[in-house]
Amino acid sequence: MATLHPFTKALHERENGMADETVATWIKTAERTSTLDILPPALDAETWKKLVAELHTILGKDGVLTNHEHRIRYADPYAEHQDEKEQERRGSAATLFPVTVEHVQAILKLCNTHSIPIWTVSRGKNLGYGGAAPRVKGSIILDLQRMGKVIEVNDKYSYYTVEPGVTFFDIYNAIKKQKKNIWCSVPALGWGSVVGNALDRGWGYTPAGDHSNQICGIEVVLADGTVVRTGMGALDNSVCWPLFRGGYGPTYESMFSQSNFGVVTKLSLWASPSPEGFMMCRVDVENEEDLAPLIDTFRDLLIHDAIQNHPLIGNLPRELVKRGPRTKFYDGKDAIPDSRLKELQKELDLGFWSARFGLYGPQEIVEANFKRCQKAFAKMPTAKLTGRAFYAPEGKEYLHPEDLPVECRTVETGTPSLLALNAVKYRGPDGGHISFSPILPADGKSALEFYYAAKKRCVAKGFDYFGGLHLYPRHLAMINMMYFDRQSDKERHDANELFVELVRLAREHGYSEYRAHIDYMDLVAEQFDFNGRSLMKLNERVKDALDPKGILSPGKQGIWPERYKAAAGKANGVNGANGVNGGH
């Protein structure tokens, strides 16, 4: 029996037990399939054996993972295929665990020598987008979780500098231990990497929650082993590296977001200073069509700085996920009918759409901004706005998450959790999901129209539409989580087929995703078609210049190095990885 996926302990023991149970379910399913011998492309077994021995010399006994244990821990737990077919498509050869930059350099040297593809992950927790699995069969997984140093937590300038193995639990605990006046920013699941989340344009829920736009200074190892520091970090012993993004000349931070141009080994992220007070707020609206005025009201409040963090708007099915399995509310195999949703609304006393957000600052500012919100939402007849405020305890200048009641230590306070893992059990104890993540304008009419069109496609496939709209002043990410029972071949297949339909539907409306599951990176990349896909051609030119042997995460975001282009071209369509995997 394989050991569990390693993860940093949660803040509460019951969450650790829940995570152990979830991962044990994945492993139990994976154990039904025998492990195939997967070799790196063009390597024979004897050469691979010698190379593994050399990697052990570099990384130590625990620095290399192969065979059955490796396969169980580094397969995508939510993959469409749960058998040998998945290994034949994108099974990997081994996982390496570097601890230092020098380790990374030595690994890259060996992989360049043998032209072995590497798939880099920070912790491999990008669930719903492929997890830690690679695109090219025979890749080596470069797992950076043991590069886990919190290098600095600075509350004078409100930033932290970390290595890629640092989780959101790690940074939260470091801030608490060092008694710094910072609120970290966390996504729904705290076991992921601070660096990996920021590089993949993930987000948290505090005012500095737009993580990719808070990056200030990156250390990256290029394919040839060269170590580069961006911005002011290009000065040896720079004191302004985490303070000024611009540096001198061109800037390159965003070049390493969602790319395969280098291996990021350090990153600084600007964070929110601890506020004097915090108000947790919620708005419920009664009707499905109320989404349009709800978005427009929020946009106006955001763009005029009445709200400092980004609101999260969810529909009724999204609320149901938090409250138990689907069978608790509806026994049918089809999508929950609108008539039943109306009944559930009344039974649970919920709006069809609800939104949560936070207000931050001194009491007079929080109260003034809440009044602005009250005035704005009063124009919506069905809107119900509530708020609960907390302020720094007597004798303290700033409020810390630990000052709040346990039930109020939410992601809006920068408190990491694992509770969101329960959602995957919605359609069965062994559940999974694939995430559809298009970007739309922050416009109510546009969002409502696309919601109706996407919901129709979901219903036709038997899926409930789970709307999670992350709203910013000028855009919104309209996340749709397609939950499925992993024990059902039909549900897994239908969820993946639905994803493809939704990508094409979004393109008809002039939209596309901002991130994608590894199976569909080529499909999504193809949607960005201006001027003969000139942006992708630029990406490919940069890729071939920096990584001439194409070893770093080939195919990530649809960026293929020259040596893979012919095979990738043959595989264009639903799954660009298939054709590549077989030919190298």
Side-chain angles (χ1 to χ4, degrees), residues 163-360:
E163 290 185 333
V166 173
T167 71
F168 293 96
F169 292 116
D170 293 333
I171 192 62
Y172 179 92
N173 287 328
I175 290 169
K176 182 179 177 181
K177 182 178 180 180
Q178 297 179 34
K179 298 181 179 179
K180 299 291 187 178
N181 290 314
I182 291 178
W183 279 17
C184 63
S185 180
V186 303
L189 288 173
W191 64 1
S193 161
V194 173
V195 170
N197 177 276
L199 292 177
D200 210 36
R201 304 200 179 103
W203 52 64
Y205 298 84
T206 57
D210 189 3
H211 295 158
S212 65
N213 286 323
Q214 307 303 324
I215 296 172
C216 184
I218 284 175
E219 178 184 88
V220 60
V221 184
L222 303 181
D224 66 358
T226 301
V227 180
V228 174
R229 290 185 174 180
T230 64
M232 298 306 290
L235 286 173
D236 206 6
N237 299 316
S238 172
V239 296
C240 293
W241 188 24
L243 307 180
F244 177 64
R245 293 192 186 106
Y248 181 72
T251 56
Y252 291 100
E253 274 88 352
S254 62
M255 176 178 171
F256 298 102
S257 292
Q258 292 192 354
S259 81
N260 49 13
F261 299 152
V263 178
V264 174
T265 50
K266 294 180 182 66
L267 179 150
S268 291
L269 206 66
W270 291 345
S272 298
S274 299
E276 296 87 342
F278 163 70
M279 180 182 283
M280 55 188 303
C281 301
R282 179 184 173 106
V283 180
D284 284 86
V285 294
E286 185 174 339
N287 304 310
E288 202 167 13
E289 62 269 22
D290 288 336
L291 178 63
L294 183 63
I295 288 173
D296 291 339
T297 301
F298 268 128
R299 184 193 63 245
D300 192 57
L301 289 167
L302 284 164
I303 212 159
H304 288 96
D305 297 322
I307 299 173
Q308 297 97 331
N309 76 331
H310 86 267
L312 171 58
I313 303 171
N315 65 347
L316 182 61
R318 193 176 184 279
E319 284 289 328
L320 299 182
V321 169
K322 305 174 187 176
R323 297 165 187 257
R326 191 174 189 265
T327 52
K328 182 178 176 181
F329 309 105
Y330 183 67
D331 286 330
K333 291 292 186 183
D334 56 330
I336 302 177
D338 289 344
S339 58
R340 178 58 183 147
L341 289 176
K342 276 295 180 186
E343 292 173 354
L344 288 167
Q345 252 188 274
K346 292 179 181 178
E347 291 171 18
L348 301 172
D349 191 25
L350 293 170
F352 189 89
W353 298 96
S354 62
R356 68 175 200 246
F357 62 97
L359 301 176
Y360 304 78

Side-chain angles (χ1 to χ4, degrees), residues 32-48:
R32 298 174 188 169
T33 302
S34 58
T35 299
L36 304 180
D37 290 329
I38 305 290
L39 295 175
L43 256 65
D44 57 55
E46 188 61 31
T47 303
W48 175 231

